[in-house]
Amino acid sequence: MRVRLDFAYDGTDFSGWAAQPGLRTVEGELSAALGRILRADPAPSLTVAGRTDAGVHARGAVAHVDVEEEAWNALPGRSDPAPEAAAVRRLAGVLPGDVVVRRARVVAEDFDARFSALTRRYSYRICDAPELLDPLRRRDTVTVRRPLDVDAMDVAARSLCGLREFAAFCKRREGATTVRTLLEYSWRREGHLVVGTVVADAFCHSMVRALVGAVVPVGEGRRPVEWPAQVQERAERDPGVTVMPAHGLCLEEVTYPSDADLAARARTARAIRTLPGE
């Protein structure tokens, strides 16, 4: 049976999501914890909505795992809770403190945490007054030394939205497309913080941090508002675009269609994206 997991983690002490020999990863910890409570050997494999890089955080991560029905139904033991509640309680007992599973529930077999997703929403936090940074937020907030013009950043960011070629902001992979639909990219000020919101159907590797790096020079006054769109139009990496530090980035939410539309959405997501007319 297929189970959906909604979870969160502090990415500071992880080498990213994906399991890697000899390294501490979110996937490694979560898979091992599932294997322990389900008494499964080998531990079950997970499919995640977003494979975050080392240092990136998540509040709204989603993964799915296929488990044996007998093992799932045995989770409550002699207690009254349903397997869903028992899974969350037992995972809390074996997971480290920087990973929390908030919900576990049985879903349709067509549900695919990665390919069924409609949107992924990230946030990025920057403090442009380092002396005012709350030291308790140093793990999820990047500091810059120059004051940022958030209005200019917002205008520049919004100019990048739509079904576009994002090769200028992606690490290329052989045979993979860099066409994506950027649904929202905006910036707002919250006191001494500048917070970005980035929403897309899917992202390329390091795309969000590069998108942030494209508009920070605009906020600092070193580039005109039109510059990020000009970089995007050239469709090649520009040395002026810095891939920003990972710890300011957080996966906030992943959305999905109704159960009836899961399979169709997965087929669409697996198709290679192209621009109109190509």
mmCIF file of all heavy atoms in Angstrom, residues 1-5 45 47 63-69 72 84 104-116 262 266 270:
data_model
loop_
_atom_site.group_PDB
_atom_site.id
_atom_site.type_symbol
_atom_site.label_atom_id
_atom_site.label_comp_id
_atom_site.label_asym_id
_atom_site.label_seq_id
_atom_site.Cartn_x
_atom_site.Cartn_y
_atom_site.Cartn_z
ATOM 1 N N MET A 1 0.843 -1.173 0.000
ATOM 2 C CA MET A 1 0.000 0.000 0.000
ATOM 3 C C MET A 1 0.891 1.239 0.000
ATOM 4 O O MET A 1 2.027 1.198 0.458
ATOM 5 C CB MET A 1 -0.943 -0.003 1.217
ATOM 6 C CG MET A 1 -0.258 -0.026 2.543
ATOM 7 S SD MET A 1 -1.351 -0.572 3.886
ATOM 8 C CE MET A 1 -2.811 0.387 3.576
ATOM 9 N N ARG A 2 0.349 2.333 -0.545
ATOM 10 C CA ARG A 2 1.148 3.559 -0.672
ATOM 11 C C ARG A 2 0.789 4.529 0.446
ATOM 12 O O ARG A 2 -0.392 4.787 0.711
ATOM 13 C CB ARG A 2 0.914 4.195 -2.041
ATOM 14 C CG ARG A 2 1.738 5.468 -2.275
ATOM 15 C CD ARG A 2 1.987 5.711 -3.739
ATOM 16 N NE ARG A 2 2.877 4.675 -4.295
ATOM 17 C CZ ARG A 2 3.352 4.705 -5.541
ATOM 18 N NH1 ARG A 2 3.019 5.687 -6.360
ATOM 19 N NH2 ARG A 2 4.149 3.743 -5.962
ATOM 20 N N VAL A 3 1.808 5.080 1.085
ATOM 21 C CA VAL A 3 1.623 6.003 2.198
ATOM 22 C C VAL A 3 2.287 7.332 1.870
ATOM 23 O O VAL A 3 3.426 7.370 1.398
ATOM 24 C CB VAL A 3 2.232 5.419 3.491
ATOM 25 C CG1 VAL A 3 2.176 6.440 4.631
ATOM 26 C CG2 VAL A 3 1.515 4.135 3.884
ATOM 27 N N ARG A 4 1.551 8.408 2.115
ATOM 28 C CA ARG A 4 2.091 9.760 1.946
ATOM 29 C C ARG A 4 2.589 10.268 3.290
ATOM 30 O O ARG A 4 1.915 10.146 4.318
ATOM 31 C CB ARG A 4 1.015 10.701 1.405
ATOM 32 C CG ARG A 4 1.409 12.180 1.469
ATOM 33 C CD ARG A 4 0.364 13.082 0.849
ATOM 34 N NE ARG A 4 0.615 14.479 1.186
ATOM 35 C CZ ARG A 4 0.023 15.518 0.599
ATOM 36 N NH1 ARG A 4 -0.876 15.315 -0.356
ATOM 37 N NH2 ARG A 4 0.308 16.753 0.971
ATOM 38 N N LEU A 5 3.781 10.849 3.278
ATOM 39 C CA LEU A 5 4.370 11.443 4.474
ATOM 40 C C LEU A 5 4.523 12.941 4.271
ATOM 41 O O LEU A 5 5.092 13.379 3.263
ATOM 42 C CB LEU A 5 5.742 10.837 4.763
ATOM 43 C CG LEU A 5 5.811 9.323 4.977
ATOM 44 C CD1 LEU A 5 7.263 8.889 5.099
ATOM 45 C CD2 LEU A 5 5.017 8.910 6.209
ATOM 46 N N SER A 45 12.231 2.301 0.363
ATOM 47 C CA SER A 45 12.740 3.457 -0.370
ATOM 48 C C SER A 45 11.654 4.523 -0.489
ATOM 49 O O SER A 45 10.463 4.215 -0.498
ATOM 50 C CB SER A 45 13.221 3.044 -1.761
ATOM 51 O OG SER A 45 12.150 2.486 -2.505
ATOM 52 N N THR A 47 10.148 8.232 -2.317
ATOM 53 C CA THR A 47 10.105 9.153 -3.454
ATOM 54 C C THR A 47 9.665 10.500 -2.919
ATOM 55 O O THR A 47 8.610 10.605 -2.283
ATOM 56 C CB THR A 47 9.119 8.676 -4.531
ATOM 57 O OG1 THR A 47 9.546 7.407 -5.025
ATOM 58 C CG2 THR A 47 9.051 9.666 -5.679
ATOM 59 N N ALA A 63 6.681 13.103 0.726
ATOM 60 C CA ALA A 63 7.269 11.913 0.107
ATOM 61 C C ALA A 63 6.232 10.801 0.138
ATOM 62 O O ALA A 63 5.250 10.860 0.884
ATOM 63 C CB ALA A 63 8.530 11.475 0.853
ATOM 64 N N HIS A 64 6.439 9.801 -0.713
ATOM 65 C CA HIS A 64 5.597 8.603 -0.600
ATOM 66 C C HIS A 64 6.481 7.371 -0.453
ATOM 67 O O HIS A 64 7.644 7.368 -0.865
ATOM 68 C CB HIS A 64 4.625 8.478 -1.784
ATOM 69 C CG HIS A 64 5.215 7.929 -3.045
ATOM 70 N ND1 HIS A 64 5.428 8.694 -4.174
ATOM 71 C CD2 HIS A 64 5.637 6.671 -3.377
ATOM 72 C CE1 HIS A 64 5.941 7.948 -5.127
ATOM 73 N NE2 HIS A 64 6.085 6.714 -4.681
ATOM 74 N N VAL A 65 5.887 6.347 0.161
ATOM 75 C CA VAL A 65 6.591 5.096 0.398
ATOM 76 C C VAL A 65 5.600 3.949 0.258
ATOM 77 O O VAL A 65 4.438 4.075 0.651
ATOM 78 C CB VAL A 65 7.253 5.098 1.800
ATOM 79 C CG1 VAL A 65 6.219 5.297 2.898
ATOM 80 C CG2 VAL A 65 8.054 3.835 2.038
ATOM 81 N N ASP A 66 6.036 2.872 -0.350
ATOM 82 C CA ASP A 66 5.190 1.684 -0.479
ATOM 83 C C ASP A 66 5.550 0.700 0.623
ATOM 84 O O ASP A 66 6.727 0.342 0.787
ATOM 85 C CB ASP A 66 5.380 1.038 -1.857
ATOM 86 C CG ASP A 66 4.849 1.917 -2.979
ATOM 87 O OD1 ASP A 66 3.875 2.656 -2.738
ATOM 88 O OD2 ASP A 66 5.403 1.871 -4.094
ATOM 89 N N VAL A 67 4.555 0.284 1.384
ATOM 90 C CA VAL A 67 4.784 -0.593 2.540
ATOM 91 C C VAL A 67 3.875 -1.806 2.465
ATOM 92 O O VAL A 67 2.842 -1.806 1.791
ATOM 93 C CB VAL A 67 4.539 0.166 3.867
ATOM 94 C CG1 VAL A 67 5.411 1.411 3.947
ATOM 95 C CG2 VAL A 67 3.068 0.549 4.017
ATOM 96 N N GLU A 68 4.264 -2.845 3.189
ATOM 97 C CA GLU A 68 3.430 -4.034 3.296
ATOM 98 C C GLU A 68 2.217 -3.730 4.181
ATOM 99 O O GLU A 68 2.356 -3.154 5.263
ATOM 100 C CB GLU A 68 4.230 -5.184 3.898
ATOM 101 C CG GLU A 68 5.374 -5.671 3.028
ATOM 102 C CD GLU A 68 4.892 -6.308 1.737
ATOM 103 O OE1 GLU A 68 3.737 -6.798 1.716
ATOM 104 O OE2 GLU A 68 5.661 -6.296 0.763
ATOM 105 N N GLU A 69 1.043 -4.118 3.716
ATOM 106 C CA GLU A 69 -0.182 -3.806 4.453
ATOM 107 C C GLU A 69 -0.160 -4.408 5.854
ATOM 108 O O GLU A 69 -0.587 -3.771 6.833
ATOM 109 C CB GLU A 69 -1.404 -4.308 3.674
ATOM 110 C CG GLU A 69 -2.728 -3.930 4.305
ATOM 111 C CD GLU A 69 -3.910 -4.291 3.420
ATOM 112 O OE1 GLU A 69 -3.681 -4.806 2.300
ATOM 113 O OE2 GLU A 69 -5.064 -4.044 3.845
ATOM 114 N N TRP A 72 1.993 -2.298 8.119
ATOM 115 C CA TRP A 72 1.332 -1.015 8.392
ATOM 116 C C TRP A 72 0.234 -1.193 9.447
ATOM 117 O O TRP A 72 0.154 -0.431 10.413
ATOM 118 C CB TRP A 72 0.769 -0.453 7.097
ATOM 119 C CG TRP A 72 -0.011 0.815 7.249
ATOM 120 C CD1 TRP A 72 -1.368 0.964 7.200
ATOM 121 C CD2 TRP A 72 0.513 2.131 7.455
ATOM 122 N NE1 TRP A 72 -1.727 2.280 7.364
ATOM 123 C CE2 TRP A 72 -0.583 3.017 7.521
ATOM 124 C CE3 TRP A 72 1.798 2.647 7.589
ATOM 125 C CZ2 TRP A 72 -0.433 4.398 7.718
ATOM 126 C CZ3 TRP A 72 1.957 4.026 7.785
ATOM 127 C CH2 TRP A 72 0.856 4.871 7.844
ATOM 128 N N GLU A 84 -2.230 5.360 11.019
ATOM 129 C CA GLU A 84 -1.742 6.695 10.653
ATOM 130 C C GLU A 84 -1.189 7.437 11.862
ATOM 131 O O GLU A 84 -0.088 8.003 11.824
ATOM 132 C CB GLU A 84 -2.866 7.514 10.000
ATOM 133 C CG GLU A 84 -3.261 7.060 8.614
ATOM 134 C CD GLU A 84 -4.199 5.850 8.610
ATOM 135 O OE1 GLU A 84 -4.553 5.346 9.708
ATOM 136 O OE2 GLU A 84 -4.566 5.411 7.500
ATOM 137 N N ALA A 104 1.001 11.024 8.339
ATOM 138 C CA ALA A 104 1.211 9.831 7.505
ATOM 139 C C ALA A 104 -0.168 9.276 7.173
ATOM 140 O O ALA A 104 -0.978 9.056 8.083
ATOM 141 C CB ALA A 104 2.044 8.801 8.250
ATOM 142 N N ARG A 105 -0.437 9.054 5.900
ATOM 143 C CA ARG A 105 -1.767 8.542 5.538
ATOM 144 C C ARG A 105 -1.696 7.721 4.264
ATOM 145 O O ARG A 105 -0.869 7.977 3.375
ATOM 146 C CB ARG A 105 -2.776 9.669 5.369
ATOM 147 C CG ARG A 105 -2.422 10.714 4.316
ATOM 148 C CD ARG A 105 -3.352 11.901 4.425
ATOM 149 N NE ARG A 105 -2.990 12.996 3.543
ATOM 150 C CZ ARG A 105 -3.549 13.210 2.360
ATOM 151 N NH1 ARG A 105 -4.500 12.405 1.910
ATOM 152 N NH2 ARG A 105 -3.174 14.238 1.611
ATOM 153 N N VAL A 106 -2.588 6.750 4.176
ATOM 154 C CA VAL A 106 -2.682 5.916 2.984
ATOM 155 C C VAL A 106 -3.299 6.736 1.859
ATOM 156 O O VAL A 106 -4.282 7.465 2.067
ATOM 157 C CB VAL A 106 -3.534 4.662 3.275
ATOM 158 C CG1 VAL A 106 -3.721 3.838 2.008
ATOM 159 C CG2 VAL A 106 -2.881 3.825 4.380
ATOM 160 N N VAL A 107 -2.721 6.619 0.662
ATOM 161 C CA VAL A 107 -3.208 7.375 -0.494
ATOM 162 C C VAL A 107 -3.418 6.429 -1.670
ATOM 163 O O VAL A 107 -3.050 5.247 -1.627
ATOM 164 C CB VAL A 107 -2.213 8.489 -0.893
ATOM 165 C CG1 VAL A 107 -2.177 9.586 0.157
ATOM 166 C CG2 VAL A 107 -0.812 7.914 -1.110
ATOM 167 N N ALA A 108 -4.011 6.962 -2.723
ATOM 168 C CA ALA A 108 -4.259 6.175 -3.928
ATOM 169 C C ALA A 108 -2.940 5.726 -4.546
ATOM 170 O O ALA A 108 -1.912 6.404 -4.434
ATOM 171 C CB ALA A 108 -5.051 7.011 -4.932
ATOM 172 N N GLU A 109 -2.965 4.584 -5.232
ATOM 173 C CA GLU A 109 -1.751 4.061 -5.864
ATOM 174 C C GLU A 109 -1.222 4.998 -6.948
ATOM 175 O O GLU A 109 -0.038 4.957 -7.282
ATOM 176 C CB GLU A 109 -2.024 2.686 -6.463
ATOM 177 C CG GLU A 109 -2.231 1.598 -5.425
ATOM 178 C CD GLU A 109 -2.374 0.226 -6.044
ATOM 179 O OE1 GLU A 109 -2.204 0.113 -7.276
ATOM 180 O OE2 GLU A 109 -2.633 -0.749 -5.302
ATOM 181 N N ASP A 110 -2.103 5.851 -7.500
ATOM 182 C CA ASP A 110 -1.668 6.795 -8.530
ATOM 183 C C ASP A 110 -0.902 7.981 -7.957
ATOM 184 O O ASP A 110 -0.297 8.745 -8.717
ATOM 185 C CB ASP A 110 -2.886 7.327 -9.309
ATOM 186 C CG ASP A 110 -3.471 6.285 -10.254
ATOM 187 O OD1 ASP A 110 -2.717 5.385 -10.675
ATOM 188 O OD2 ASP A 110 -4.669 6.361 -10.564
ATOM 189 N N PHE A 111 -0.928 8.150 -6.647
ATOM 190 C CA PHE A 111 -0.224 9.286 -6.044
ATOM 191 C C PHE A 111 1.283 9.097 -6.175
ATOM 192 O O PHE A 111 1.831 8.069 -5.792
ATOM 193 C CB PHE A 111 -0.590 9.431 -4.567
ATOM 194 C CG PHE A 111 0.134 10.566 -3.888
ATOM 195 C CD1 PHE A 111 -0.350 11.856 -3.962
ATOM 196 C CD2 PHE A 111 1.323 10.333 -3.190
ATOM 197 C CE1 PHE A 111 0.328 12.914 -3.348
ATOM 198 C CE2 PHE A 111 2.004 11.373 -2.578
ATOM 199 C CZ PHE A 111 1.505 12.664 -2.657
ATOM 200 N N ASP A 112 1.940 10.110 -6.721
ATOM 201 C CA ASP A 112 3.397 10.114 -6.836
ATOM 202 C C ASP A 112 3.879 11.447 -6.285
ATOM 203 O O ASP A 112 3.552 12.502 -6.831
ATOM 204 C CB ASP A 112 3.817 9.950 -8.294
ATOM 205 C CG ASP A 112 5.326 9.786 -8.467
ATOM 206 O OD1 ASP A 112 6.058 10.726 -8.101
ATOM 207 O OD2 ASP A 112 5.762 8.734 -8.973
ATOM 208 N N ALA A 113 4.615 11.404 -5.189
ATOM 209 C CA ALA A 113 5.022 12.636 -4.522
ATOM 210 C C ALA A 113 5.767 13.573 -5.461
ATOM 211 O O ALA A 113 5.628 14.801 -5.368
ATOM 212 C CB ALA A 113 5.890 12.310 -3.313
ATOM 213 N N ARG A 114 6.531 13.002 -6.372
ATOM 214 C CA ARG A 114 7.309 13.831 -7.305
ATOM 215 C C ARG A 114 6.490 14.252 -8.517
ATOM 216 O O ARG A 114 6.319 15.443 -8.788
ATOM 217 C CB ARG A 114 8.557 13.071 -7.754
ATOM 218 C CG ARG A 114 9.401 13.825 -8.767
ATOM 219 C CD ARG A 114 10.557 12.974 -9.257
ATOM 220 N NE ARG A 114 11.332 13.674 -10.275
ATOM 221 C CZ ARG A 114 12.304 13.113 -10.990
ATOM 222 N NH1 ARG A 114 12.622 11.829 -10.792
ATOM 223 N NH2 ARG A 114 12.952 13.810 -11.907
ATOM 224 N N PHE A 115 5.967 13.294 -9.250
ATOM 225 C CA PHE A 115 5.366 13.607 -10.543
ATOM 226 C C PHE A 115 3.914 14.066 -10.456
ATOM 227 O O PHE A 115 3.402 14.675 -11.403
ATOM 228 C CB PHE A 115 5.486 12.412 -11.484
ATOM 229 C CG PHE A 115 6.891 12.158 -11.948
ATOM 230 C CD1 PHE A 115 7.593 11.056 -11.499
ATOM 231 C CD2 PHE A 115 7.518 13.037 -12.817
ATOM 232 C CE1 PHE A 115 8.905 10.831 -11.915
ATOM 233 C CE2 PHE A 115 8.824 12.822 -13.241
ATOM 234 C CZ PHE A 115 9.520 11.711 -12.785
ATOM 235 N N SER A 116 3.231 13.794 -9.358
ATOM 236 C CA SER A 116 1.849 14.262 -9.234
ATOM 237 C C SER A 116 1.763 15.706 -8.755
ATOM 238 O O SER A 116 0.680 16.305 -8.771
ATOM 239 C CB SER A 116 1.069 13.374 -8.257
ATOM 240 O OG SER A 116 0.970 12.047 -8.726
ATOM 241 N N LEU A 262 -4.672 12.528 -10.455
ATOM 242 C CA LEU A 262 -3.280 12.213 -10.120
ATOM 243 C C LEU A 262 -2.525 11.585 -11.279
ATOM 244 O O LEU A 262 -1.409 11.986 -11.609
ATOM 245 C CB LEU A 262 -3.233 11.282 -8.910
ATOM 246 C CG LEU A 262 -3.588 11.903 -7.566
ATOM 247 C CD1 LEU A 262 -3.708 10.814 -6.496
ATOM 248 C CD2 LEU A 262 -2.532 12.931 -7.139
ATOM 249 N N ALA A 266 0.687 13.135 -13.402
ATOM 250 C CA ALA A 266 1.988 12.455 -13.458
ATOM 251 C C ALA A 266 2.454 12.281 -14.896
ATOM 252 O O ALA A 266 3.636 12.449 -15.202
ATOM 253 C CB ALA A 266 1.904 11.111 -12.745
ATOM 254 N N ARG A 270 5.896 14.038 -16.451
ATOM 255 C CA ARG A 270 6.984 13.230 -17.003
ATOM 256 C C ARG A 270 7.335 13.639 -18.428
ATOM 257 O O ARG A 270 8.430 13.332 -18.915
ATOM 258 C CB ARG A 270 6.598 11.754 -16.982
ATOM 259 C CG ARG A 270 6.687 11.109 -15.609
ATOM 260 C CD ARG A 270 6.450 9.612 -15.704
ATOM 261 N NE ARG A 270 6.739 8.929 -14.444
ATOM 262 C CZ ARG A 270 5.841 8.680 -13.517
ATOM 263 N NH1 ARG A 270 4.580 9.040 -13.712
ATOM 264 N NH2 ARG A 270 6.190 8.061 -12.391
#
